[in-house]
Amino acid sequence: NAGVTQTPKFRILKIGQSMTLQCTQDMNHNYMYWYRQDPGMGLKLIYYSVGAGITDKGEVPNGYNVSRSTTEDFPLRLELAAPSQTSVYFCASSDRQGGKLFFGSGTQLSVL
Amino acid sequence: GESVGLHLPTLSVQEGDNSIINCAYSNSASDYFIWYKQESGKGPQFIIDIRSNMDKRQGQRVTVLLNKTVKHLSLQIAATQPGDSAVYFCAETPGTYKYIFGTGTRLKVLA
């Protein structure tokens, strides 16, 4: 099994550009999460989903959007990139609420 | 919270020695705890977990200890190897979607 797969691994955006960070998992997990990781800070939850068609905001959702049309995929959309969105983004999944989280390898995003 | 940051506390140990990494958790309602290992440029990798109805759990070369009285979690790595060099952080959850992540400790293994 591949687990949680994220693409791209690296990306540089100009201010105001948009992009989608892709995340897919092959473990048939209902719960999926997007986190950002900033230096000196813990992982912060951006959005999460408890199943296909259901998404909800986390701690830091501003500037982001998500969709969950299938169990496998949970893309994260940045509409108008800002320097404050420079970070490392991780997608994670779990088979139940409050269960073991499996992480992807991350996307390092720089907004210049 | 945890991060692969520039100013994380660092633990340096000699190869072959045991390592102990500590974590203070914040939520008394947390009932599930996880230790992750994160190597540079990679995603967090699951090491070991423990539920609040246990005080100790052992894996291969790793042991997690939970002290609910003082809200403290520790990760012990036996016979530390160069491949153990990484950032280690803990996570806690009260069984909801919400996880709280520790700030992390950088482990350096000296040859």
Side-chain angles (χ1 to χ4, degrees):
Chain A
N1 284 345
V4 180
T5 302
Q6 289 184 240
T7 57
K9 193 160 181 65
F10 303 96
R11 184 73 186 266
I12 298 174
L13 286 180
K14 293 183 179 178
I15 295 172
Q17 286 185 319
S18 62
M19 76 163 294
T20 299
L21 282 66
Q22 302 291 345
C23 175
T24 187
Q25 51 92 10
D26 62 359
M27 297 174 283
N28 201 34
H29 287 171
N30 282 323
Y31 296 86
M32 295 188 75
Y33 310 81
W34 274 105
Y35 293 94
R36 58 179 287 170
Q37 187 177 50
D38 300 306
M41 305 287 288
L43 288 160
K44 297 297 182 186
L45 182 64
I46 305 171
Y47 270 94
Y48 69 101
S49 169
V50 301
I54 306 169
T55 63
D56 210 343
K57 296 178 180 179
E59 301 171 78
V60 289
N62 292 344
Y64 308 95
N65 274 302
V66 294
S67 60
R68 184 93 183 272
S69 57
T70 66
T71 299
E72 294 78 20
D73 301 307
F74 190 40
L76 177 71
R77 178 84 178 161
L78 283 71
E79 289 294 350
L80 290 170
S84 61
Q85 294 177 305
T86 294
S87 188
V88 181
Y89 292 85
F90 289 102
C91 179
S93 73
S94 62
D95 63 348
R96 63 183 185 278
Q97 193 164 260
K100 185 189 303 183
L101 281 177
F102 294 85
F103 285 88
S105 57
T107 295
Q108 186 171 325
L109 175 67
S110 295
V111 182
L112 305 175
Chain B
E2 135 75 359
S3 171
V4 184
L6 296 176
H7 302 293
L8 294 174
T10 298
L11 174 66
S12 297
V13 298
Q14 291 290 334
E15 182 178 354
D17 286 352
N18 297 335
S19 302
I20 300 176
I21 299 170
N22 297 304
C23 176
Y25 67 91
S26 58
N27 188 349
S28 300
S30 292
D31 64 359
Y32 179 56
F33 305 86
I34 312 170
W35 277 102
Y36 286 96
K37 172 186 181 183
Q38 189 173 21
E39 296 174 280
S40 183
K42 296 186 178 180
Q45 175 188 356
F46 171 88
I47 302 173
I48 192 168
D49 57 1
I50 189 168
R51 296 222 169 258
S52 59
N53 60 353
M54 302 174 70
D55 297 324
K56 179 179 179 179
R57 190 164 188 223
Q58 289 184 293
Q60 187 177 11
R61 281 201 308 119
V62 294
T63 301
V64 55
L65 298 178
L66 175 62
N67 185 329
K68 295 181 286 293
T69 302
V70 295
K71 293 193 287 186
H72 184 267
L73 198 65
S74 69
L75 175 70
Q76 300 178 1
I77 304 173
T80 311
Q81 303 169 357
D84 295 327
S85 293
V87 173
Y88 292 81
F89 63 89
C90 63
E92 58 175 299
T93 177
T96 68
Y97 71 90
K98 185 172 177 60
Y99 295 77
I100 302 171
F101 296 90
T103 52
T105 297
R106 189 181 308 278
L107 176 64
K108 287 188 175 179
V109 181
L110 308 173

